[in-house]
Amino acid sequence: MANSETIVLIGVNHKTAPLELREQLAFQEGYDPPLAALSRLQLLKEFYLLSTCNRVEMAFVCDDMLQARTGLLAALFAPKVSEAELAPHLYQYEGAAAVEHLFRVAASLDSMVVGEAQILGQIKAAYRAAARAGGTRLVLNRLLHKTFSVAKRVRTETRIGASAVSISYAAVELGRKIFGDLTGKKALLIGAGEMAELAAEHLLSHGVASVTVANRTLERAVALARRFNGRAVGLAEVPEQLALVDVIIGSTGAPDLLLYKEDVRKVMRGRRNRPLFFIDIAVPRDLDPAINELDNVYLYDIDDLQDVVKLNQEERRREAVKAERIIAEEVLKFGHWLENLASTPTILQLQAQVEAMVQLEVEKTAGRLNLRDEAERAAFRRMGQAIAGRLLANPLQYLKMDSKRTSLQDRIHIVRSIFALDELAPVPVEKKSE
């Protein structure tokens, strides 16, 4: 019968779940362990995971959506969070709505900062991990490659990224609000990943005098610091560095807090209460929230950036309208491909059935006529192929037509019933003489 597979996407993001919950759901050990857990779920035909500081999403292909959802959530989160606890924060999309959501995320229309470019790279990395784990096959491979091309089209045909700001840029803008001017200030980056690199670029472009990079792996800290003529230190040196800097940005994603209130309290006496500005853009958080209780100390986490990301909002909104139109077009195109995929088994079976029947009769007739000349037999076979083509033309056109009156599933059912495709075994074709 027709393909009953469904594309489903479930997840949480910065709009639906607080930071504390997103911290619990984040895949701190990378994608390999959760992907391995999903590969053991027979209910999932295909699967893919995305985990960023602002969202955790799972896309999958299945037959039984409810059982697949329950199994997936239990496999990934049961030790930490139950499905009942997750339910108020989860969103779920199916079919075309799931496709549209994935396209919108890749085009950064669903990001905290509309137009930011990081999300597409994060989706590509997540896809590579899922592909290595054997989670993506025909449907998700096609969907994710289409997702990349849609995001590229949005970037090319709109100015969605022209006035956009990244989360790292938003963090720097928040620093400017506190100090008024960052010229001459000194910055400490805790972490040496992509977020830290972007933060360093924005800090220096706003006049920061120097950048120090602290990282668990000193080699990575040295590499990043060298790019910006800065210094590299180990994580153990962070408390003593607080006396020397003005702005601290945490972005490691380490499983535990790296800096506590008491660490900062000791430093503030020596700083003579010169202000210290902390921004924690890591998930899970790097910095103790209690730090914000100290005088002349300002701590903001990733959820506090909501106000800053309103920069250039009106222009981004105008460009987002164009992007939404592009996405709507591409969702329709992918829907047509998916529909055709649903009818493919019926088309192939119908073609094989009709061609086999025609060729069988052709061979019988050629035998009764005692046609020994191979050229004559070949002409008979071509005639049979032409007849099969004529017979197939109308039912194939009926399956492929775009009709608002009859659903594809109904058309598939009608064709399968008329040609008894669920009742008859394929007719064997006599082997051609060599």
Side-chain angles (χ1 to χ4, degrees):
M1 287 298 292
N3 192 339
S4 61
E5 294 177 350
T6 303
I7 300 174
V8 183
L9 186 145
I10 58 177
V12 300
N13 62 21
H14 59 285
K15 301 174 187 175
T16 69
L19 180 58
E20 291 79 5
L21 179 60
R22 301 201 310 272
E23 285 179 325
Q24 294 182 68
L25 302 181
F27 303 122
Q28 298 173 19
E29 298 178 4
Y31 286 118
D32 290 345
L35 287 170
L38 295 188
S39 68
R40 293 189 286 271
L41 292 180
Q42 295 184 354
L43 290 165
L44 303 182
K45 296 187 173 183
E46 303 184 40
F47 52 86
Y48 149 89
L49 303 174
L50 174 67
S51 179
T52 75
C53 57
N54 281 328
R55 70 182 65 245
V56 176
E57 293 185 346
M58 294 71 65
F60 54 95
V61 177
C62 65
D63 289 328
D64 189 325
M65 185 168 53
L66 291 177
Q67 285 193 30
R69 169 186 159 126
T70 299
L72 179 145
L73 293 177
L76 295 180
F77 307 123
K80 297 178 283 189
V81 185
S82 70
E83 183 174 359
E85 292 173 300
L86 272 176
H89 307 283
L90 276 175
Y91 46 81
Q92 178 170 321
Y93 301 103
E94 302 143 29
V99 174
E100 179 185 7
H101 178 79
L102 192 52
F103 288 176
R104 294 187 79 256
V105 170
S108 84
L109 296 182
D110 197 55
S111 296
M112 180 184 290
V113 183
V114 174
E116 58 94 3
Q118 284 177 275
I119 186 62
L120 182 57
Q122 292 167 329
I123 292 175
K124 288 182 176 179
Y127 169 59
R128 286 193 295 269
R132 282 197 308 269
T136 58
R137 296 186 179 88
L138 177 63
V139 175
L140 288 188
N141 278 334
R142 176 79 175 219
L143 174 57
L144 285 158
H145 280 285
K146 174 56 70 174
T147 297
F148 305 149
S149 67
V150 170
K152 183 178 180 181
R153 185 183 167 195
V154 168
R155 287 272 166 186
T156 302
E157 297 182 22
T158 75
R159 289 175 50 81
I160 194 74
S163 63
V165 291
S166 68
I167 289 174
S168 299
Y169 184 86
V172 173
E173 284 298 304
L174 201 52
R176 291 179 66 193
K177 279 190 172 184
I178 299 298
F179 289 106
D181 185 5
L182 293 178
T183 302
K185 302 299 181 185
K186 297 179 180 179
L188 170 64
L189 304 180
I190 306 175
E194 184 180 5
M195 297 283 273
E197 184 176 348
L198 289 171
E201 290 175 356
H202 294 313
L203 286 165
L204 290 171
S205 71
H206 284 85
V208 165
S210 66
V211 173
T212 300
V213 182
N215 196 58
R216 191 178 306 278
T217 306
L218 188 58
E219 185 178 343
R220 292 186 63 182
V222 169
L224 182 59
R226 187 179 293 128
R227 280 198 55 196
F228 300 105
N229 295 318
R231 296 188 309 114
V233 297
L235 285 183
E237 300 175 75
V238 166
E240 63 189 66
Q241 293 298 316
L242 299 182
L244 309 174
V245 299
D246 306 289
V247 180
I248 300 94
I249 298 181
S251 63
T252 71
D256 301 311
L257 295 175
L258 300 178
L259 202 59
Y260 290 86
K261 177 181 178 180
E262 195 54 37
D263 298 323
V264 180
R265 187 201 304 277
K266 295 174 183 176
V267 172
M268 290 308 291
R269 288 192 288 268
R271 288 177 61 87
R272 296 181 182 176
N273 289 322
R274 282 184 299 115
L276 257 183
F277 175 56
F278 293 88
I279 296 185
D280 194 346
I281 54 178
V283 179
R285 286 173 285 193
D286 286 339
L287 309 176
D288 180 2
I291 288 173
N292 207 32
E293 299 169 4
L294 299 172
D295 292 336
N296 291 314
V297 176
Y298 305 88
L299 169 62
Y300 296 86
D301 63 30
I302 200 164
D303 283 352
D304 294 320
L305 298 179
Q306 290 281 10
D307 291 336
V308 181
V309 302
K310 292 178 182 176
L311 294 166
N312 301 319
Q313 191 174 33
E314 190 54 44
E315 183 174 352
R316 291 201 302 275
R317 187 180 295 119
R318 287 196 297 269
E319 295 303 310
V321 171
K322 301 176 189 175
E324 296 282 10
R325 174 185 53 77
I326 292 171
I327 287 171
E329 291 175 13
E330 296 293 350
V331 169
L332 286 175
K333 290 180 185 176
F334 189 81
H336 291 321
W337 176 83
L338 207 55
E339 282 194 349
N340 290 335
L341 184 65
S343 64
T344 296
T346 295
I347 291 172
L348 293 177
Q349 190 178 351
L350 178 60
Q351 287 175 325
Q353 194 85 354
V354 171
E355 289 171 2
M357 286 179 176
V358 170
Q359 287 302 324
L360 182 61
E361 295 305 317
V362 165
E363 295 297 334
K364 285 181 180 178
T365 302
R368 283 196 294 269
L369 294 175
N370 200 24
L371 296 179
R372 299 183 182 279
D373 184 74
E374 184 56 35
E376 291 180 337
R377 295 181 74 91
F380 251 61
R381 294 190 192 102
R382 287 196 297 274
M383 179 187 70
Q385 290 169 353
I387 292 171
R390 290 289 184 90
L391 290 172
L392 287 166
N394 285 336
L396 292 184
Q397 183 181 8
Y398 177 67
L399 282 172
K400 294 177 180 179
M401 74 178 185
D402 187 9
S403 172
K404 294 182 179 178
R405 291 184 299 174
T406 312
S407 71
L408 177 63
Q409 295 300 325
D410 287 341
R411 297 200 301 276
I412 290 173
H413 177 71
I414 291 168
V415 168
R416 296 187 73 86
S417 297
I418 291 173
F419 289 90
L421 295 182
D422 295 316
E423 300 169 19
L424 297 177
V427 177
V429 180
E430 292 183 355
K431 290 185 178 179
K432 300 176 184 177
S433 57
E434 296 295 331

